[in-house]
Amino acid sequence: MATDFEQFLPDSAFLIDAEAQDWRDAIRLAGKGLVDSGFTTNAYTDDMIATVEAMGPYIVIAPGLALAHSRPSAAVLHTGLSWVRLSKAVPFGNEANDPVSLVIGLAGRDENEHLQVMSAIARALSNPQASEELRHAATPEAIRAILQR
């Protein structure tokens, strides 16, 4: 079954070449994409920031990549993603993988609903060619096309 990226990652969830002053600002941008797409309320953005403040920068899962998320809660209205590519990378405090230039916001209504989408994204990001193409793709359509290969 093909992953429905149009549903989980609509145009309104993208911020391409956005500016962030620091990691909190980068997460706020990811939260904006989730809120603008109707996936979460603003409270979820605060929850994502609080998670990093409490647990550290574990969300930086690969060089240059952060997966911003928090636990399922009433602030999550629908499962979905946001995609923020920063014009200038910012440090998150993760020595192995800083600085971060791509922040994927993840909101899940439950622990399992988003696994298919995340699996497709992980497949693309683990492919060096696809990962490089994602870093330079100019439009949401181009990014979704790379993810759906």
Side-chain angles (χ1 to χ4, degrees):
M1 184 169 117
T3 302
D4 186 357
F5 280 102
E6 293 284 337
Q7 175 186 352
F8 291 105
L9 194 56
D11 288 357
S12 56
F14 285 88
L15 289 123
I16 308 263
D17 299 329
E19 291 185 31
Q21 299 302 311
D22 56 27
W23 69 265
R24 286 180 180 84
D25 202 20
I27 291 176
R28 282 187 195 97
L29 291 171
K32 178 180 181 341
L34 293 170
V35 170
D36 288 352
S37 299
F39 296 137
T40 66
T41 68
N42 287 323
Y44 190 73
T45 302
D46 296 337
D47 291 346
M48 292 191 296
I49 292 170
T51 298
V52 174
E53 289 172 341
M55 302 179 72
Y58 77 96
I59 66 168
V60 184
I61 59 173
L65 171 65
L67 181 61
H69 63 282
S70 188
R71 298 186 58 79
S73 72
V76 178
L77 306 174
H78 304 282
T79 294
L81 302 168
S82 63
W83 188 278
V84 178
R85 188 172 69 202
L86 300 173
S87 59
K88 182 179 176 191
V90 297
F92 272 62
N94 183 307
E95 289 182 26
N97 294 322
D98 269 346
V100 169
S101 58
L102 177 61
V103 182
I104 298 172
L106 167 65
R109 292 270 306 156
D110 63 48
E111 301 288 344
N112 299 315
E113 192 175 24
H114 60 280
L115 290 180
Q116 187 177 8
V117 174
M118 289 310 302
S119 176
I121 289 174
R123 229 181 2 262
L125 293 173
S126 66
N127 176 323
Q129 180 180 345
S131 184
E132 186 63 22
E133 289 173 13
L134 286 169
R135 292 186 191 282
H136 300 288
T139 65
E141 293 81 15
I143 291 169
R144 282 191 295 264
I146 295 166
L147 294 172
Q148 290 177 317
R149 287 184 193 158

